[in-house]
Amino acid sequence: MTPAYLPFTYLSESTARMLTALVGPVVIYQPLATSIPESLRALASQGLVEIRTPIIRDDDRLRAALAEFTDWARMNPGKSTPGAGFFSQRQGDIPFFDETAINRIRSDIKRYHQTDHQADQEAEKTEAEFSARLFLALAQENDQATDRLDHDLNRFKTLEKDFLDTLTDTDEVGFSRQTFGAQIWRDDPGAKLTMQRIRAWATLAIADDALPELLTTTSRAVIDALLETDGGALCFQRLAGIRLPLPTAGAGPALGSVLADLTAREFPSSDALSTFASMAAGTESEPAATVTLFAAAKWTPSSVIRRMAPATAVASGKNEKTESVGHTLIVLVES
């Protein structure tokens, strides 16, 4: 099974290794093929992620917008007034005076109106794709900055811990090492502009020629947003949740066989869910992650992603092969 990382276009090395250990290497979509972060390229070379760029139109324009975002409005002029194409084609003619048949006039107007309408629709789809990619590119820069900050904070915490460990006699005089060594709160990156992230990501995903058969995320906010907005329509339901020990490197995806079984069998599979529940961590001291399974019953991955995407998103005509998967699993992994 091929899992895709929802709805982000960037992930840290630690997150990539955790997801690979649990569900296998994840597909990560990129808004711009020529601006893929070096850290993601390194993860791809190690087989931890698979990078895909389903949309490659308007790359020069997107790069220009990213380089000078404050002038984005100037780079996106408004569309021409509907019907202007009809009259521009008739410049130099005496309007209708040489037309003797009313049907000819009607068909002429209809033909130009349809042409203009179709061009308007194509322009709208192109703008929607561009906006989604621009949003994701900017979000990716923010996520990278947050990852660098987290890395620096982790280094600080390590130095702080090493320093506090040297103060062997301070507890006797009322100094608590635990107080100063408290954990630093980190926000869920999916908690900001959640639905915009989901819809922009789905715009890329639906254009993929080979849609993934499984969705995975590390954001509780994303799951909550999906349950709130599309939960009823997509029959989203929580299947089970456990605290799962992190497997050793090279052991293969811990959830691989369970997820494949849940997908292949008639939904839901009580046997597979029992197997999943039996994998729970034995002790609190074990390195583990909290894994929760959600599913959209009787909704294929392509139909779920189509539902997430805006109406103007353009789907690939080659991604119907995932229709063999009769329902869509979403795996929430929280460290």
Side-chain angles (χ1 to χ4, degrees):
M1 296 185 64
T2 305
Y5 190 43
L6 164 78
F8 306 102
T9 61
Y10 180 83
L11 76 174
S12 65
E13 180 179 354
S14 59
T15 299
R17 293 190 180 280
M18 177 177 65
L19 293 178
T20 299
L22 295 175
V23 301
V26 296
V27 169
I28 186 158
Y29 292 110
Q30 287 294 286
L32 189 58
T34 56
S35 298
I36 298 174
E38 287 299 323
S39 58
L40 287 184
R41 293 184 185 275
L43 294 177
S45 66
Q46 299 173 56
L48 298 175
V49 300
E50 179 185 348
I51 298 173
R52 297 184 187 178
T53 52
I55 303 175
I56 56 175
R57 294 180 289 274
D58 288 338
D59 281 5
D60 291 340
R61 182 181 171 211
L62 183 56
R63 282 192 294 268
L66 288 171
E68 199 174 358
F69 180 66
T70 54
D71 290 335
W72 181 77
R74 178 180 58 81
M75 296 180 180
N76 293 266
K79 294 176 289 185
S80 60
T81 304
F86 169 75
F87 290 102
S88 64
Q89 292 290 335
R90 301 304 296 253
Q91 285 182 355
D93 290 353
I94 300 175
F96 311 127
F97 280 36
D98 59 346
E99 303 288 335
T100 56
I102 190 65
N103 289 336
R104 173 71 180 275
I105 297 173
R106 287 175 176 170
S107 64
D108 205 20
I109 294 175
K110 183 178 180 181
R111 175 164 58 88
Y112 281 107
H113 174 72
Q114 288 177 340
T115 302
D116 186 74
H117 180 65
Q118 290 170 357
D120 214 34
Q121 284 185 320
E122 289 300 319
E124 186 178 0
K125 291 176 181 179
T126 300
E127 287 303 307
E129 286 183 349
F130 178 82
S131 297
R133 295 169 68 201
L134 178 59
F135 175 89
L136 291 174
L138 293 170
Q140 180 170 282
E141 290 185 359
N142 179 75
D143 293 342
Q144 283 183 266
T146 301
D147 183 47
R148 289 192 293 269
L149 177 61
D150 286 345
H151 178 72
D152 291 342
L153 288 174
N154 286 334
R155 290 182 58 192
F156 171 79
K157 293 298 297 180
T158 300
L159 293 173
E160 182 188 43
K161 181 179 182 301
D162 292 342
F163 171 73
L164 292 174
D165 287 344
T166 65
L167 306 178
T168 55
D169 300 325
T170 53
D171 288 339
E172 297 179 2
V173 292
F175 179 83
S176 174
R177 286 178 287 175
Q178 296 298 324
T179 301
F180 285 87
Q183 292 293 318
I184 298 175
W185 172 262
R186 290 182 174 85
D187 291 331
D188 178 352
K192 297 177 181 178
L193 301 175
T194 308
M195 286 310 302
Q196 289 93 323
R197 275 188 183 264
I198 292 173
R199 301 208 182 284
W201 177 90
T203 299
L204 286 187
I206 200 65
D208 191 0
D209 288 342
L211 285 177
E213 299 133 320
L214 173 71
L215 301 178
T216 185
T217 187
T218 52
S219 172
R220 169 68 65 172
V222 168
I223 294 295
D224 291 342
L226 290 175
L227 290 173
E228 181 178 350
T229 57
D230 293 319
L234 293 176
C235 302
F236 266 130
Q237 56 184 288
R238 181 184 183 276
L239 299 182
I242 61 171
R243 184 174 177 272
L244 184 67
L246 295 177
T248 57
L255 294 172
S257 59
V258 172
L259 295 175
D261 195 19
L262 273 171
T263 302
R265 293 192 184 189
E266 185 177 355
F267 180 80
S269 169
S270 57
D271 292 340
L273 289 176
S274 297
T275 303
F276 173 73
S278 67
M279 300 172 68
T283 64
E284 289 293 326
S285 61
E286 291 182 90
T290 300
V291 180
T292 311
L293 299 183
F294 296 84
K298 299 180 180 179
W299 283 78
T300 62
S302 61
S303 58
V304 168
I305 295 175
R306 172 76 271 180
R307 178 87 184 187
M308 294 178 185
T312 52
V314 181
S316 170
K318 300 179 181 180
N319 57 31
E320 296 302 318
K321 69 177 185 179
T322 56
E323 294 298 317
S324 60
V325 179
H327 43 267
T328 301
L329 295 178
I330 301 181
V331 183
L332 171 63
V333 180
E334 299 171 285
S335 59

